[in-house]
Amino acid sequence: MGTGALAADDTLKIGFVGVTSGPAAAWGISNVRSMQARADWLNEIGGVEIGGKTYDIEIVTFDDQKDPKRAIAGMEKMAQEGIHYVVGPNVDDGAAAVRPVAEQNGIIYFPYAFPKELYSPPASNAVLGMVANYQSGPAIYKYLKENEGVKTVAFVAANESDPLSQRDSGIAAAEAIGLEVVSGNVTFQVDTTDFTPVLTPVMRSRPDLLVLSGVSPANAPQLIRSARELGYEGLISTETAQDASVLQEGAGDLANGFISVGGASTPDIASDLMNEFVERYTKQFGEYNDESNTKVYALEYILETLKANPAAIDNVDEFKKTMDSFEVANPYMKGDAKLRYVGSTSFGQKRQVAVPLVVNVYRDGKFETLFVAEVD
């Protein structure tokens, strides 16, 4: 055998900075598990070839505990380790806090956070890893107006910047399509355990749709349970991704009919590779989170963009140059779907991954697909 065949693979480190503990832990855990499952799979089949060199993928993780100061520390750790590509953070405050560190240290990061200023000029280092609430919200409200006869809507949000921002954009989107907002100023503290006093005044407005803006997976079942126990029979939705097992444990059948943004796949559009990813993830971690249908994409986009321009391995300016024209086959979807960067309509530049907008409805312990759409 030639000496090249005996050489050890180089290692390419990809970082994660996000929340993996506390009420919002499900969001970051699905990130980390998706990255680890896919990296292990790629390493198992021989690594990833970029520019004629083969790399093993190593995932370096940091739990920011949903604290912006810890998110900054996590991004600084990535910079110290020479990592140029990072997935996360998972919330608005954290994603905004790490921007200076990322820009000063040549790091491209893929947040799951919605502020447009992170992705619009002059910012250029953040890439939105999912569909934003101001993209999914209008699609959900329009669907429910046309198919369920929804005319009035109420919003409830935790008293934090992320949920409040999502509430405000949700109200604007609802009003833009002609829905009447009958309640939009009720908030709660994140450590609330009894939601009956919170929801009682909202229930008096008798909305057709109750929107839980930016709700965490831990709070969603509590709010749903309280609303139903107060006699609310209307629709309940959110623009954040949820965890079916948490809903089942916390609200049971009371959560039936709850509408949320799902992972970027359904049985109808999932490729064989996506199905194998789900099998490997489930075997590795003992369970599967539907949100990982979306979270699997960030690592894939990073690696495929590096393949398209190997000079970007240690130079994020080269990565940015490649984004406008980048396009390869989407391995996770059937048909001729492509991995490409989008976001021109929302941000004025391509700083968002193209993943399908899948909207789910919860029924009897699992999510079912309500509808699928696309984002430009």
Side-chain angles (χ1 to χ4, degrees):
M1 296 177 66
T3 56
L6 296 174
D9 291 348
D10 289 321
T11 297
L12 175 61
K13 293 182 178 181
I14 306 294
F16 168 81
V17 175
V19 55
T20 57
S21 60
W27 292 337
I29 289 171
S30 65
N31 268 127
V32 171
R33 289 180 173 180
S34 297
M35 296 172 74
Q36 290 176 334
R38 184 57 173 151
D40 291 348
W41 184 3
L42 291 169
N43 293 341
E44 177 186 314
I45 61 177
V48 177
E49 185 176 331
I50 300 172
K53 297 176 66 175
T54 302
Y55 295 86
D56 284 334
I57 308 303
E58 178 183 344
I59 307 302
V60 180
T61 67
F62 185 94
D63 177 15
D64 67 16
Q65 299 175 12
K66 205 166 172 280
D67 180 343
K69 292 180 180 178
R70 282 189 58 83
I72 293 171
M75 196 64 80
E76 290 173 341
K77 168 184 165 67
M78 301 300 155
Q80 291 165 5
E81 294 200 23
I83 295 172
H84 291 283
Y85 299 96
V86 175
V87 177
N90 302 95
V91 296
D92 294 1
D93 287 350
V98 303
R99 177 183 169 185
V101 179
E103 293 179 348
Q104 292 164 13
N105 291 278
I107 295 173
I108 294 284
Y109 66 113
F110 286 68
Y112 296 81
F114 298 152
K116 290 185 178 181
E117 60 268 22
L118 293 176
Y119 315 106
S120 304
S124 63
N125 283 44
V127 182
L128 178 56
M130 63 188 294
V131 177
N133 70 302
Y134 40 79
Q135 297 165 334
S136 61
I140 293 172
Y141 308 153
K142 183 174 185 291
Y143 178 91
L144 295 179
K145 179 182 179 182
E146 294 176 351
N147 293 275
E148 299 292 341
V150 167
K151 296 179 180 179
T152 60
V153 57
F155 292 80
V156 176
N159 192 22
E160 287 188 311
S161 59
D162 290 23
L164 293 176
S165 174
Q166 293 186 39
R167 178 201 63 186
D168 292 346
S169 60
I171 289 174
E175 291 177 338
I177 66 169
L179 296 180
E180 180 187 358
V181 177
V182 294
S183 178
N185 59 3
V186 173
T187 62
F188 60 89
Q189 299 305 311
V190 293
D191 58 354
T192 298
T193 56
D194 180 6
F195 287 93
T196 299
V198 174
L199 292 173
T200 296
V202 183
M203 297 299 96
R204 294 194 190 107
S205 66
R206 303 176 64 84
D208 298 327
L209 171 65
L210 172 63
V211 177
L212 310 179
S213 300
V215 68
S216 72
N219 287 148
Q222 298 171 301
L223 282 156
I224 294 167
R225 175 175 287 280
S226 293
R228 295 306 187 202
E229 289 176 347
L230 284 168
Y232 180 65
E233 296 180 354
L235 296 165
I236 307 177
S237 75
T238 184
E239 284 83 63
T240 49
Q242 299 297 311
D243 187 314
S245 61
V246 174
L247 289 170
Q248 174 65 30
E249 181 179 349
D253 291 345
L254 294 177
N256 283 343
F258 179 51
I259 296 163
S260 65
V261 174
S265 189
T266 70
D268 291 339
I269 64 177
S271 66
D272 289 342
L273 189 136
M274 174 60 91
N275 291 330
E276 184 173 352
F277 167 74
V278 174
E279 291 175 6
R280 285 174 172 267
Y281 182 118
T282 305
K283 183 177 180 180
Q284 188 167 347
F285 300 107
E287 60 181 3
Y288 188 73
N289 185 331
D290 177 75
E291 192 180 350
S292 290
N293 293 346
T294 298
K295 298 295 178 60
V296 70
Y297 274 97
L299 178 60
E300 208 73 29
Y301 267 88
I302 292 168
L303 297 178
E304 290 297 330
T305 307
L306 294 178
K307 288 182 186 179
N309 183 359
I313 280 279
D314 53 12
N315 185 341
V316 300
D317 288 334
E318 292 293 330
F319 192 96
K320 295 176 191 178
K321 289 179 184 177
T322 309
M323 294 173 70
D324 281 342
S325 59
F326 172 80
E327 184 175 286
V328 298
N330 185 334
Y332 298 111
M333 291 180 64
K334 295 176 181 176
D336 58 358
K338 303 295 184 182
L339 296 183
R340 58 191 177 90
Y341 293 95
V342 296
S344 296
T345 299
S346 294
F347 313 122
Q349 60 181 349
K350 293 184 176 181
R351 287 299 184 272
Q352 181 176 8
V353 301
V355 298
L357 166 56
V358 176
V359 177
N360 286 335
V361 58
Y362 175 89
R363 296 197 190 283
D364 300 327
K366 61 182 180 180
F367 291 119
E368 299 174 1
T369 303
L370 192 61
F371 67 90
V372 180
E374 292 183 348
V375 173
D376 178 14

